[in-house]
Amino acid sequence: MNNNLKYKDHTYNAEEEQIRRNMISLELKRQRQLTLFKRKMLAALTSAIIVISAIIIINTVTAQGDGIEKEKRYKSIMIEYGDTLWDIAKEYYDSSLYTIPEYIEELKSINRLECDSIKSGSYIVVSYFVNQAE
């Protein structure tokens, strides 16, 4: 039996034809993989740009605060049973100016506290902000 194939004035035997088809198949597979890799890289790059842009925007907005002129004031409060610096900070800190841990450090500095423990019945000075118009 003759295993030769004729295509455009060229004669292939069956084995050569199978090799040619395998090579074409491998080339198509490589091209699909390359295209997929390029798409994944583009998606990763786009995601990274979006995240970096969001961080920059958030930092810019945070640095500007809420745009309202504020005056810092102080008052003395009595520590109730069960109060912690964290509880006090959550009540008095201004989120446009501080994080809670930063405000706790300010409370410790203002009151010359060496540790985070506070005693009920004693007094502590807290800072807070009011709008200039108030």
Side-chain angles (χ1 to χ4, degrees):
M1 179 173 167
N2 185 358
N3 286 335
N4 291 334
L5 303 169
K6 187 164 179 102
Y7 179 72
K8 290 188 179 180
D9 298 328
H10 187 71
T11 304
Y12 296 94
N13 67 32
E15 191 175 303
E16 288 176 326
E17 179 61 20
Q18 187 60 42
I19 290 171
R20 187 181 73 79
R21 287 181 183 172
N22 287 345
M23 289 178 67
I24 291 171
S25 176
L26 287 172
E27 179 60 23
L28 289 173
K29 183 178 179 181
R30 188 188 72 74
Q31 287 177 357
R32 283 192 303 267
Q33 288 174 338
L34 185 60
T35 301
L36 184 61
F37 175 75
K38 287 178 181 178
R39 286 181 182 167
K40 286 180 179 179
M41 291 304 292
L42 182 61
L45 182 61
T46 303
S47 297
I49 289 171
I50 290 170
V51 168
I52 290 169
S53 298
I55 290 170
I56 290 170
I57 290 169
I58 289 169
N59 285 341
T60 302
V61 170
T62 302
Q64 293 173 350
D66 54 15
I68 299 172
E69 293 289 324
K70 296 183 178 185
E71 180 182 338
K72 190 174 194 177
R73 294 188 181 169
Y74 298 90
K75 73 177 182 178
S76 178
I77 61 167
M78 187 172 88
I79 299 170
E80 302 289 329
Y81 178 80
D83 280 349
T84 65
L85 286 178
W86 188 271
D87 296 329
I88 294 168
K90 283 194 318 187
E91 185 174 344
Y92 289 97
Y93 90 111
D94 186 328
S95 63
S96 68
L97 302 169
Y98 297 105
T99 63
I100 291 177
E102 290 170 338
Y103 186 75
I104 289 172
E105 288 305 313
E106 178 170 330
L107 288 177
K108 287 168 63 176
S109 174
I110 293 170
N111 292 282
R112 296 187 180 110
L113 298 173
E114 295 178 5
C115 63
D116 291 348
S117 64
I118 52 178
K119 185 178 176 185
S120 65
S122 60
Y123 288 83
I124 188 171
V125 175
V126 295
S127 62
Y128 63 100
F129 289 86
V130 295
N131 295 340
Q132 283 287 346
E134 291 181 13

